[in-house]
Amino acid sequence: MLPELNSQALRQACSRDDLIRKAAAQITKDFAEFGFEVTFSGNVEHFYDEVFKQMRVHIVHIMGEHYSQFLNFLYRIDVTESQVAVYQKDMGDATYEDALTELIIHREMKKVMIREYFKAQGQSESTDSPELTE
């Protein structure tokens, strides 16, 4: 059974320093593929504000200047415009760019959570299987 990926699970994940650092690394990697630099100081207490501001600047730029590249970017991050619309509606008076940035942070955290889940599953399976002796 897959891990829960709802808002409560995301909040719990955001309290784990290791997952925050891995999400920051994933964000940095995905943005770098499009030539955008996002850095993270490693201070998990400031993770959200630190990366949100940098990501938003890049999102505004790519939306305004290179719309086809923007669509490729959404595809790479695995985010749809309809998901952004839902986030924007849920966030009240948030701009499209703010809703998209928030959604990307959540999506990247979900990627990390899924990866961690399958990593743990693989480790438990290897410890459950008997060792073969020659």
Side-chain angles (χ1 to χ4, degrees):
M1 189 166 148
L2 288 173
E4 290 288 325
L5 297 175
N6 57 27
S7 59
Q8 181 174 342
L10 279 172
R11 281 192 292 278
Q12 289 173 341
C14 288
S15 67
R16 288 184 45 193
D17 293 356
D18 62 322
L19 293 183
I20 291 171
R21 286 188 181 93
K22 288 176 182 176
Q26 185 67 46
I27 290 167
T28 300
K29 177 181 168 271
D30 285 346
F31 273 72
E33 287 186 21
F34 287 84
F36 299 126
E37 183 180 13
V38 175
T39 59
F40 176 56
S41 67
N43 183 341
V44 295
E45 292 177 17
H46 298 144
F47 161 75
Y48 182 84
D49 290 334
E50 189 175 334
V51 299
F52 185 95
K53 290 174 186 172
Q54 295 175 68
M55 291 168 61
R56 189 180 187 291
V57 167
H58 296 311
I59 288 167
V60 168
H61 171 76
I62 196 171
M63 282 177 60
E65 308 244 342
H66 310 283
Y67 194 73
S68 63
Q69 187 181 17
F70 171 68
L71 295 176
N72 289 333
F73 175 75
L74 291 181
Y75 179 78
R76 171 67 179 100
I77 302 290
D78 194 24
V79 168
T80 65
E81 292 197 60
S82 61
Q83 290 171 319
V84 180
V86 169
Y87 260 66
Q88 189 174 13
K89 181 180 175 196
D90 289 347
M91 292 175 68
D93 61 351
T95 65
Y96 181 88
E97 295 84 357
D98 287 347
L100 175 56
T101 304
E102 178 93 8
L103 176 58
I104 291 171
I105 291 172
H106 291 171
R107 178 66 188 119
E108 299 289 32
M109 183 61 79
K110 287 177 183 179
K111 285 181 188 177
V112 168
M113 292 167 63
I114 291 169
R115 209 173 292 130
E116 288 295 305
Y117 171 80
F118 282 109
K119 182 179 174 184
Q121 291 298 316
Q123 289 174 349
S124 71
E125 286 178 12
S126 66
T127 58
D128 291 343
S129 60
E131 293 290 323
L132 295 177
T133 57
E134 292 182 41

